[in-house]
Amino acid sequence: LLACNWVFFAAVGFLQMLVMFVFAALVFGLDLFTARHLTGFLLVTAATAAAAAAFGIVLATICRSRAQLGALSTIVILVMSALGGSMVPRFVMPAFMEVTSRFTFNGWALDAFLEVFWYDEPGQGLLASLAAVGLPLVVLAGMTAVFFIFLIYWVHTMGELMVSPVGLSAVTKLA
């Protein structure tokens, strides 16, 4: 059930980012439709959407109500955006904030997108371009895995806590 939700939310996130970047390419002239940029974009977008979907499901699983989720997610996302470089470029931040930003998936996603579109060398081949985003892709995949491990642990623990009294009473009645 969690995996199905994750796939759906990751697909929605992927489509949202695809629409935004195609819009940027058509309206602002973003160089998206070259082999290097399009391949890098698709890989980074898939990894980012996967990590964001897993993180969103973690937040939704922890919270007990929609109101609690709304409040918590707003605070967490604003802090992550500030630390990850979404609000202010990280090269302007103090050194300790640059280190802290390494713990946010949006910081790694921004690094990867900058690598694809900004720091890309025109003479590089496709493999050299993709090698530049290798580390951010691995870190994003690792963060997605960590979110899933936490989810499995959380659901298993909560399931035991909720089923144990009922299960124990049913076994007692049968005995």
Side-chain angles (χ1 to χ4, degrees), residues 12-64:
V12 168
F14 184 87
L15 290 174
Q16 287 176 335
M17 292 179 73
L18 182 66
V19 167
M20 287 189 293
F21 274 82
V22 167
F23 180 82
L26 296 175
V27 175
F28 300 113
L30 176 68
D31 188 20
L32 178 64
F33 302 112
T34 62
R36 287 189 336 264
H37 288 168
L38 188 60
T39 306
F41 164 75
L42 293 174
L43 289 172
V44 172
T45 299
T48 302
F55 184 69
I57 293 173
V58 165
L59 288 178
T61 305
I62 291 172
C63 297
R64 295 179 182 252

Side-chain angles (χ1 to χ4, degrees), residues 52 55-56 59 69-87 104-106:
F55 184 69
L59 288 178
L69 175 62
L72 179 67
S73 64
T74 300
I75 293 168
V76 169
I77 291 168
L78 281 174
V79 169
M80 280 180 45
S81 295
L83 291 176
S86 297
M87 294 182 179
T104 64
F105 71 86
N106 64 312

Side-chain angles (χ1 to χ4, degrees), residues 2 5-6 8 12 16 19 30 36 49 62 74 81 84 87 92 110-111 123 135 138 140 158 163 166-167 171:
L2 286 176
N5 283 330
W6 172 73
F8 174 75
V12 168
Q16 287 176 335
V19 167
L30 176 68
R36 287 189 336 264
I62 291 172
T74 300
S81 295
M87 294 182 179
V92 179
L110 282 172
D111 284 349
L135 179 62
V138 168
L140 286 168
M158 288 294 122
V163 172
V166 175
V171 169

